[in-house]
Amino acid sequence: MLVVLKRDQEEVGRHAAHFVASAIRRKASLTLGLATGNTMVGVYRELVRLHREDHLDFSRVTTFNLDEYFGLSPEHTESFHHAMHEHFFSHVNVNPRNIHIPDGAIAGDCEEYCSAYEQAIRDAGGIDLQILGIGRNGHIGFNEPTSSIGSRTRLKVLSEQTIEDNRKLFAAGEEIPQCAITMGIGTILEARRILLLASGEAKAAAVAKSIEGPITSSVTASALQLHPDVTFLLDEAASMALTQREYYMKVLKMTAMLTPSRLT
Ligand code: GLP
């Protein structure tokens, strides 16, 4: 596990975008796991800039989004489909055929749909790099507390805290979905590389528990401790509750000296 500390959300976004860009430059046909949320907006902004100004080419990239609200059509302005197109897909050259986002409006058997999503990930050769945000309760994707480490893509009931946190994204008075389709913890752990981003004081406790606490289904991001190649990219505020902060900074300095390419 690598803990990378940056000053603020803007630096976190820029660093994450360059991390993704260098993965695409190394493998043009990268399978990229994507996330939504406020923390991701700066990442997409910088990726769009790199596409426009530095010819970053997404034409062979395949994407899989982590999650989507259940009961919202892709056209709904609060859906993750909508956010992804608004912030990213409509500005870059990802082939629309290679874009995968769980469909929150599926009419048929949800379990079957979720297994097909898992199969599509396998058919694409598995996820090379998964980007994650984190919820205040330590969730990744929409894997709320109580999600098992082996969980796969499925329908998950949202916690009250998550519903409250997401209320700001919806118009006043509008009903917020109570459930979501999300990749499971087991699905996420199969990605070859994982990059988790967190910014702001509100995430500090969840971040500290995920990195330094026991592995527990009460803080689902703690399962990432089991992954052999995970980077936590944090701004100052999000890193404040870490007890080993100074040590991570030292490791970072030494790692940069020994293996500079890992950090680009
Ligand atoms: C939602 C998403 C998560 C995301 C989280 C944090 O719950 N399902 O994938 O990590 O929001 O969002 P924000 O970056 O807005 O704090």
Side-chain angles (χ1 to χ4, degrees):
M1 173 193 299
L2 192 64
V3 179
V4 177
L5 302 173
K6 295 282 156 188
R7 200 180 51 224
D8 53 22
Q9 182 168 351
E10 204 187 315
E11 272 195 17
V12 165
R14 232 180 298 128
H15 189 89
H18 287 261
F19 195 105
V20 172
S22 71
I24 295 172
R25 288 193 168 116
R26 275 198 300 272
K27 183 182 178 185
S29 61
L30 195 80
T31 302
L32 182 59
L34 295 174
T36 44
N38 184 38
T39 317
M40 298 300 147
V41 173
V43 183
Y44 296 130
R45 194 188 307 122
E46 180 66 3
L47 283 173
V48 169
R49 192 191 68 74
L50 289 171
H51 171 65
R52 287 186 180 147
E53 296 174 17
D54 277 350
H55 311 291
L56 181 60
D57 181 16
F58 293 91
S59 61
R60 294 178 57 207
V61 170
T62 297
T63 67
F64 285 90
N65 267 77
L66 279 168
D67 48 13
E68 177 60 286
Y69 292 116
F70 186 70
L72 286 196
S73 77
E75 290 76 37
H76 194 288
T77 50
E78 260 68 58
S79 70
F80 288 164
H81 274 82
H82 190 270
M84 287 307 301
H85 283 90
E86 184 186 354
H87 294 297
F88 188 49
F89 292 132
S90 59
H91 308 287
V92 294
N93 64 336
V94 181
N95 185 334
R97 277 199 315 253
N98 294 342
I99 295 173
H100 305 82
I101 308 176
D103 182 356
I106 41 142
D109 184 327
C110 191
E111 246 176 70
E112 222 170 79
Y113 175 80
C114 292
S115 319
Y117 199 74
E118 293 267 337
Q119 189 56 47
I121 294 174
R122 280 191 291 273
D123 292 346
I127 292 174
D128 292 306
L129 171 61
Q130 176 67 56
I131 311 298
L132 299 173
I134 185 168
R136 272 198 302 146
N137 61 9
H139 73 220
I140 46 179
F142 269 131
N143 290 285
E144 297 285 39
T146 77
S147 299
S148 69
I149 288 176
S151 54
R152 313 300 307 190
T153 302
R154 69 213 183 288
L155 188 62
K156 188 76 188 163
V157 177
L158 302 180
S159 71
E160 283 311 310
Q161 190 183 42
T162 299
I163 291 170
E164 265 327 297
D165 285 349
N166 290 331
R167 193 174 292 284
K168 60 181 185 291
L169 306 170
F170 284 76
E174 200 172 353
E175 215 175 292
I176 302 177
Q178 300 286 315
C179 300
I181 294 179
T182 182
M183 280 186 204
I185 303 292
T187 321
I188 292 169
L189 288 177
E190 278 172 12
R192 291 180 191 95
R193 284 182 101 184
I194 297 178
L195 178 65
L196 182 144
L197 280 57
S199 88
E201 208 184 320
K203 304 288 174 69
V207 163
K209 285 183 198 159
S210 306
I211 296 175
E212 296 177 340
I215 297 173
T216 165
S217 65
S218 306
V219 182
T220 56
S222 65
L224 298 176
Q225 292 176 34
L226 294 169
H227 195 276
D229 190 350
V230 59
T231 301
F232 283 81
L233 176 55
L234 313 172
D235 73 1
E236 242 169 61
S239 70
M240 282 331 257
L242 290 169
T243 62
Q244 303 297 318
R245 209 167 169 275
E246 298 306 312
Y247 177 71
Y248 301 130
M249 284 165 77
K250 181 180 171 191
V251 170
L252 203 54
K253 232 185 256 167
M254 303 284 289
T255 312
M257 271 161 35
L258 297 171
T259 53
S261 64
R262 221 184 113 89
L263 298 175
T264 55

